[in-house]
PDB file of all heavy atoms in Angstrom:
ATOM      1  N   THR E 243     -48.328  43.908  72.968  1.00  0.00           N
ATOM      2  CA  THR E 243     -47.063  44.636  72.654  1.00  0.00           C
ATOM      3  C   THR E 243     -45.881  43.670  72.436  1.00  0.00           C
ATOM      4  O   THR E 243     -44.927  44.002  71.686  1.00  0.00           O
ATOM      5  CB  THR E 243     -46.737  45.586  73.794  1.00  0.00           C
ATOM      6  OG1 THR E 243     -46.582  44.748  75.028  1.00  0.00           O
ATOM      7  CG2 THR E 243     -47.758  46.716  73.988  1.00  0.00           C
ATOM      8  N   ILE E 246     -45.611  42.662  68.779  1.00  0.00           N
ATOM      9  CA  ILE E 246     -45.286  43.847  67.899  1.00  0.00           C
ATOM     10  C   ILE E 246     -43.786  44.034  68.158  1.00  0.00           C
ATOM     11  O   ILE E 246     -43.088  44.382  67.150  1.00  0.00           O
ATOM     12  CB  ILE E 246     -46.133  44.988  68.311  1.00  0.00           C
ATOM     13  CG1 ILE E 246     -47.593  44.759  67.904  1.00  0.00           C
ATOM     14  CG2 ILE E 246     -45.676  46.237  67.676  1.00  0.00           C
ATOM     15  CD1 ILE E 246     -48.647  45.738  68.376  1.00  0.00           C
ATOM     16  N   PHE E 254     -35.745  45.226  62.059  1.00  0.00           N
ATOM     17  CA  PHE E 254     -34.537  45.947  62.456  1.00  0.00           C
ATOM     18  C   PHE E 254     -33.253  45.159  62.112  1.00  0.00           C
ATOM     19  O   PHE E 254     -32.407  45.585  61.411  1.00  0.00           O
ATOM     20  CB  PHE E 254     -34.479  46.512  63.845  1.00  0.00           C
ATOM     21  CG  PHE E 254     -33.223  47.164  64.239  1.00  0.00           C
ATOM     22  CD1 PHE E 254     -32.913  48.463  63.728  1.00  0.00           C
ATOM     23  CD2 PHE E 254     -32.184  46.528  65.054  1.00  0.00           C
ATOM     24  CE1 PHE E 254     -31.721  49.107  64.120  1.00  0.00           C
ATOM     25  CE2 PHE E 254     -31.025  47.222  65.338  1.00  0.00           C
ATOM     26  CZ  PHE E 254     -30.844  48.360  64.865  1.00  0.00           C
ATOM     27  N   ILE E 256     -33.010  42.608  60.124  1.00  0.00           N
ATOM     28  CA  ILE E 256     -32.995  42.281  58.684  1.00  0.00           C
ATOM     29  C   ILE E 256     -32.488  43.476  58.046  1.00  0.00           C
ATOM     30  O   ILE E 256     -31.573  43.363  57.084  1.00  0.00           O
ATOM     31  CB  ILE E 256     -34.344  41.854  58.150  1.00  0.00           C
ATOM     32  CG1 ILE E 256     -34.784  40.483  58.648  1.00  0.00           C
ATOM     33  CG2 ILE E 256     -34.431  41.849  56.657  1.00  0.00           C
ATOM     34  CD1 ILE E 256     -36.232  40.084  58.377  1.00  0.00           C
ATOM     35  N   THR E 260     -28.904  44.012  55.500  1.00  0.00           N
ATOM     36  CA  THR E 260     -28.777  44.482  54.154  1.00  0.00           C
ATOM     37  C   THR E 260     -27.855  45.621  53.947  1.00  0.00           C
ATOM     38  O   THR E 260     -27.315  45.941  52.854  1.00  0.00           O
ATOM     39  CB  THR E 260     -30.152  44.774  53.557  1.00  0.00           C
ATOM     40  OG1 THR E 260     -30.691  45.866  54.421  1.00  0.00           O
ATOM     41  CG2 THR E 260     -31.032  43.611  53.531  1.00  0.00           C
ATOM     42  N   PRO E 263     -21.807  45.075  54.029  1.00  0.00           N
ATOM     43  CA  PRO E 263     -21.440  44.553  52.724  1.00  0.00           C
ATOM     44  C   PRO E 263     -21.273  42.939  52.865  1.00  0.00           C
ATOM     45  O   PRO E 263     -21.007  42.452  53.946  1.00  0.00           O
ATOM     46  CB  PRO E 263     -20.037  45.194  52.501  1.00  0.00           C
ATOM     47  CG  PRO E 263     -19.625  45.709  53.694  1.00  0.00           C
ATOM     48  CD  PRO E 263     -20.865  45.979  54.634  1.00  0.00           C
ATOM     49  N   GLU E 291      21.026  36.211  55.111  1.00  0.00           N
ATOM     50  CA  GLU E 291      19.975  35.962  54.112  1.00  0.00           C
ATOM     51  C   GLU E 291      18.737  35.427  54.836  1.00  0.00           C
ATOM     52  O   GLU E 291      18.808  34.657  55.861  1.00  0.00           O
ATOM     53  CB  GLU E 291      20.448  35.005  53.080  1.00  0.00           C
ATOM     54  CG  GLU E 291      21.484  35.629  52.198  1.00  0.00           C
ATOM     55  CD  GLU E 291      21.857  34.659  51.012  1.00  0.00           C
ATOM     56  OE1 GLU E 291      21.522  33.370  51.108  1.00  0.00           O
ATOM     57  OE2 GLU E 291      22.445  35.114  49.959  1.00  0.00           O
ATOM     58  N   LEU E 296       5.666  32.002  49.862  1.00  0.00           N
ATOM     59  CA  LEU E 296       4.218  32.105  50.044  1.00  0.00           C
ATOM     60  C   LEU E 296       3.766  30.752  50.673  1.00  0.00           C
ATOM     61  O   LEU E 296       4.206  29.609  50.189  1.00  0.00           O
ATOM     62  CB  LEU E 296       3.454  32.225  48.766  1.00  0.00           C
ATOM     63  CG  LEU E 296       3.701  33.653  48.084  1.00  0.00           C
ATOM     64  CD1 LEU E 296       3.115  33.622  46.638  1.00  0.00           C
ATOM     65  CD2 LEU E 296       3.256  34.742  48.904  1.00  0.00           C
ATOM     66  N   MET E 309     -17.226  46.826  39.804  1.00  0.00           N
ATOM     67  CA  MET E 309     -15.935  46.688  40.487  1.00  0.00           C
ATOM     68  C   MET E 309     -16.048  45.644  41.549  1.00  0.00           C
ATOM     69  O   MET E 309     -17.211  45.429  42.117  1.00  0.00           O
ATOM     70  CB  MET E 309     -15.409  47.966  41.126  1.00  0.00           C
ATOM     71  CG  MET E 309     -15.067  49.090  40.015  1.00  0.00           C
ATOM     72  SD  MET E 309     -13.784  48.614  38.912  1.00  0.00           S
ATOM     73  CE  MET E 309     -12.443  48.821  39.993  1.00  0.00           C
ATOM     74  N   ILE E 314      -7.214  40.306  50.395  1.00  0.00           N
ATOM     75  CA  ILE E 314      -6.405  39.123  50.284  1.00  0.00           C
ATOM     76  C   ILE E 314      -5.645  38.750  51.587  1.00  0.00           C
ATOM     77  O   ILE E 314      -5.275  39.688  52.376  1.00  0.00           O
ATOM     78  CB  ILE E 314      -5.334  39.387  49.124  1.00  0.00           C
ATOM     79  CG1 ILE E 314      -6.041  39.817  47.887  1.00  0.00           C
ATOM     80  CG2 ILE E 314      -4.433  38.174  48.861  1.00  0.00           C
ATOM     81  CD1 ILE E 314      -5.038  40.433  46.801  1.00  0.00           C
ATOM     82  N   ASN E 329      20.789  37.526  66.280  1.00  0.00           N
ATOM     83  CA  ASN E 329      20.342  38.757  66.898  1.00  0.00           C
ATOM     84  C   ASN E 329      19.067  39.140  66.209  1.00  0.00           C
ATOM     85  O   ASN E 329      18.592  38.561  65.256  1.00  0.00           O
ATOM     86  CB  ASN E 329      21.356  39.890  66.744  1.00  0.00           C
ATOM     87  CG  ASN E 329      22.794  39.502  67.368  1.00  0.00           C
ATOM     88  OD1 ASN E 329      22.584  38.888  68.515  1.00  0.00           O
ATOM     89  ND2 ASN E 329      23.832  39.867  66.802  1.00  0.00           N
ATOM     90  N   VAL E 331      16.677  40.883  63.802  1.00  0.00           N
ATOM     91  CA  VAL E 331      16.935  41.357  62.404  1.00  0.00           C
ATOM     92  C   VAL E 331      15.599  41.912  61.913  1.00  0.00           C
ATOM     93  O   VAL E 331      14.580  41.269  62.029  1.00  0.00           O
ATOM     94  CB  VAL E 331      17.420  40.137  61.489  1.00  0.00           C
ATOM     95  CG1 VAL E 331      17.428  40.623  60.047  1.00  0.00           C
ATOM     96  CG2 VAL E 331      18.771  39.692  61.939  1.00  0.00           C
ATOM     97  N   GLU E 334      12.572  44.050  55.123  1.00  0.00           N
ATOM     98  CA  GLU E 334      11.363  44.548  54.352  1.00  0.00           C
ATOM     99  C   GLU E 334      11.071  43.583  53.266  1.00  0.00           C
ATOM    100  O   GLU E 334      11.965  43.198  52.407  1.00  0.00           O
ATOM    101  CB  GLU E 334      11.613  45.869  53.748  1.00  0.00           C
ATOM    102  CG  GLU E 334      10.401  46.709  53.561  1.00  0.00           C
ATOM    103  CD  GLU E 334      10.787  48.191  53.242  1.00  0.00           C
ATOM    104  OE1 GLU E 334      11.863  48.615  53.525  1.00  0.00           O
ATOM    105  OE2 GLU E 334       9.844  48.899  52.721  1.00  0.00           O
ATOM    106  N   SER E 344     -10.158  40.689  31.847  1.00  0.00           N
ATOM    107  CA  SER E 344     -10.637  39.442  31.332  1.00  0.00           C
ATOM    108  C   SER E 344      -9.850  38.798  30.268  1.00  0.00           C
ATOM    109  O   SER E 344      -9.855  37.663  29.940  1.00  0.00           O
ATOM    110  CB  SER E 344     -12.097  39.532  30.872  1.00  0.00           C
ATOM    111  OG  SER E 344     -12.258  40.522  29.857  1.00  0.00           O
ATOM    112  N   MET E 358       9.180  43.490  58.747  1.00  0.00           N
ATOM    113  CA  MET E 358       9.065  42.339  59.699  1.00  0.00           C
ATOM    114  C   MET E 358      10.363  42.257  60.563  1.00  0.00           C
ATOM    115  O   MET E 358      11.346  42.696  60.094  1.00  0.00           O
ATOM    116  CB  MET E 358       8.920  40.981  58.946  1.00  0.00           C
ATOM    117  CG  MET E 358       7.627  41.068  58.100  1.00  0.00           C
ATOM    118  SD  MET E 358       7.391  39.552  57.271  1.00  0.00           S
ATOM    119  CE  MET E 358       6.057  40.043  56.183  1.00  0.00           C
ATOM    120  N   SER E 362      15.367  37.889  68.630  1.00  0.00           N
ATOM    121  CA  SER E 362      16.652  37.236  68.938  1.00  0.00           C
ATOM    122  C   SER E 362      16.481  35.757  69.144  1.00  0.00           C
ATOM    123  O   SER E 362      15.533  35.257  69.807  1.00  0.00           O
ATOM    124  CB  SER E 362      17.239  37.922  70.132  1.00  0.00           C
ATOM    125  OG  SER E 362      18.535  37.315  70.382  1.00  0.00           O
ATOM    126  N   THR E 364      15.319  33.503  67.051  1.00  0.00           N
ATOM    127  CA  THR E 364      14.219  32.952  66.307  1.00  0.00           C
ATOM    128  C   THR E 364      14.634  32.683  64.808  1.00  0.00           C
ATOM    129  O   THR E 364      15.201  33.583  64.132  1.00  0.00           O
ATOM    130  CB  THR E 364      13.002  33.802  66.306  1.00  0.00           C
ATOM    131  OG1 THR E 364      12.626  34.039  67.631  1.00  0.00           O
ATOM    132  CG2 THR E 364      11.834  33.242  65.520  1.00  0.00           C
ATOM    133  N   TYR E 368       6.089  33.009  60.744  1.00  0.00           N
ATOM    134  CA  TYR E 368       4.919  32.609  59.841  1.00  0.00           C
ATOM    135  C   TYR E 368       3.944  33.924  59.988  1.00  0.00           C
ATOM    136  O   TYR E 368       2.824  33.710  60.473  1.00  0.00           O
ATOM    137  CB  TYR E 368       4.168  31.361  60.404  1.00  0.00           C
ATOM    138  CG  TYR E 368       4.930  30.212  60.288  1.00  0.00           C
ATOM    139  CD1 TYR E 368       5.746  29.619  61.351  1.00  0.00           C
ATOM    140  CD2 TYR E 368       4.992  29.369  59.141  1.00  0.00           C
ATOM    141  CE1 TYR E 368       6.462  28.436  61.166  1.00  0.00           C
ATOM    142  CE2 TYR E 368       5.692  28.239  58.949  1.00  0.00           C
ATOM    143  CZ  TYR E 368       6.419  27.785  60.014  1.00  0.00           C
ATOM    144  OH  TYR E 368       7.171  26.605  59.862  1.00  0.00           O
ATOM    145  N   PRO E 369       4.315  34.941  59.367  1.00  0.00           N
ATOM    146  CA  PRO E 369       3.397  36.162  59.364  1.00  0.00           C
ATOM    147  C   PRO E 369       2.366  35.903  58.402  1.00  0.00           C
ATOM    148  O   PRO E 369       2.391  35.234  57.417  1.00  0.00           O
ATOM    149  CB  PRO E 369       4.281  37.296  58.930  1.00  0.00           C
ATOM    150  CG  PRO E 369       5.394  36.597  58.184  1.00  0.00           C
ATOM    151  CD  PRO E 369       5.619  35.257  58.709  1.00  0.00           C
ATOM    152  N   ILE E 371      -0.139  38.535  55.996  1.00  0.00           N
ATOM    153  CA  ILE E 371      -0.332  39.968  55.575  1.00  0.00           C
ATOM    154  C   ILE E 371      -1.613  40.045  54.934  1.00  0.00           C
ATOM    155  O   ILE E 371      -2.118  38.956  54.271  1.00  0.00           O
ATOM    156  CB  ILE E 371       0.821  40.416  54.665  1.00  0.00           C
ATOM    157  CG1 ILE E 371       1.089  39.498  53.363  1.00  0.00           C
ATOM    158  CG2 ILE E 371       2.174  40.543  55.447  1.00  0.00           C
ATOM    159  CD1 ILE E 371       2.190  40.073  52.504  1.00  0.00           C
ATOM    160  N   PRO E 373      -3.208  42.498  52.212  1.00  0.00           N
ATOM    161  CA  PRO E 373      -3.359  43.682  51.365  1.00  0.00           C
ATOM    162  C   PRO E 373      -4.775  43.707  50.784  1.00  0.00           C
ATOM    163  O   PRO E 373      -5.564  42.689  50.845  1.00  0.00           O
ATOM    164  CB  PRO E 373      -2.412  43.363  50.217  1.00  0.00           C
ATOM    165  CG  PRO E 373      -2.216  41.841  50.178  1.00  0.00           C
ATOM    166  CD  PRO E 373      -2.401  41.406  51.598  1.00  0.00           C
ATOM    167  N   ARG E 382      -8.747  39.478  37.302  1.00  0.00           N
ATOM    168  CA  ARG E 382      -8.093  38.680  38.448  1.00  0.00           C
ATOM    169  C   ARG E 382      -6.830  39.289  38.920  1.00  0.00           C
ATOM    170  O   ARG E 382      -6.324  40.174  38.367  1.00  0.00           O
ATOM    171  CB  ARG E 382      -7.831  37.185  37.868  1.00  0.00           C
ATOM    172  CG  ARG E 382      -6.828  37.093  36.720  1.00  0.00           C
ATOM    173  CD  ARG E 382      -6.826  35.702  36.167  1.00  0.00           C
ATOM    174  NE  ARG E 382      -5.744  35.576  35.278  1.00  0.00           N
ATOM    175  CZ  ARG E 382      -4.578  34.997  35.361  1.00  0.00           C
ATOM    176  NH1 ARG E 382      -4.374  34.420  36.511  1.00  0.00           N
ATOM    177  NH2 ARG E 382      -3.715  34.919  34.399  1.00  0.00           N
ATOM    178  N   SER E 386       3.132  38.182  43.545  1.00  0.00           N
ATOM    179  CA  SER E 386       4.483  37.718  43.516  1.00  0.00           C
ATOM    180  C   SER E 386       5.396  38.340  44.553  1.00  0.00           C
ATOM    181  O   SER E 386       5.199  39.615  44.788  1.00  0.00           O
ATOM    182  CB  SER E 386       5.200  38.060  42.093  1.00  0.00           C
ATOM    183  OG  SER E 386       6.496  37.682  42.021  1.00  0.00           O
ATOM    184  N   VAL E 391      13.022  45.831  47.507  1.00  0.00           N
ATOM    185  CA  VAL E 391      12.045  46.894  47.402  1.00  0.00           C
ATOM    186  C   VAL E 391      12.133  47.545  46.093  1.00  0.00           C
ATOM    187  O   VAL E 391      13.214  47.989  45.665  1.00  0.00           O
ATOM    188  CB  VAL E 391      12.070  47.799  48.584  1.00  0.00           C
ATOM    189  CG1 VAL E 391      11.024  48.983  48.462  1.00  0.00           C
ATOM    190  CG2 VAL E 391      11.958  47.081  49.923  1.00  0.00           C
ATOM    191  N   LEU E 392      10.972  47.718  45.422  1.00  0.00           N
ATOM    192  CA  LEU E 392      10.992  48.388  44.061  1.00  0.00           C
ATOM    193  C   LEU E 392      10.405  49.684  44.300  1.00  0.00           C
ATOM    194  O   LEU E 392       9.340  49.931  44.829  1.00  0.00           O
ATOM    195  CB  LEU E 392      10.139  47.547  43.034  1.00  0.00           C
ATOM    196  CG  LEU E 392      10.607  46.063  42.898  1.00  0.00           C
ATOM    197  CD1 LEU E 392       9.581  45.394  41.995  1.00  0.00           C
ATOM    198  CD2 LEU E 392      11.986  46.151  42.160  1.00  0.00           C
TER     199      LEU E 392
END
Side-chain angles (χ1 to χ4, degrees):
T243 59
I246 293 173
F254 175 74
I256 291 170
T260 58
E291 288 186 346
L296 295 174
M309 295 296 289
I314 305 169
N329 299 324
V331 172
E334 203 166 347
S344 60
M358 299 184 189
S362 179
T364 302
Y368 293 94
I371 56 177
R382 65 187 184 105
S386 177
V391 178
L392 304 171

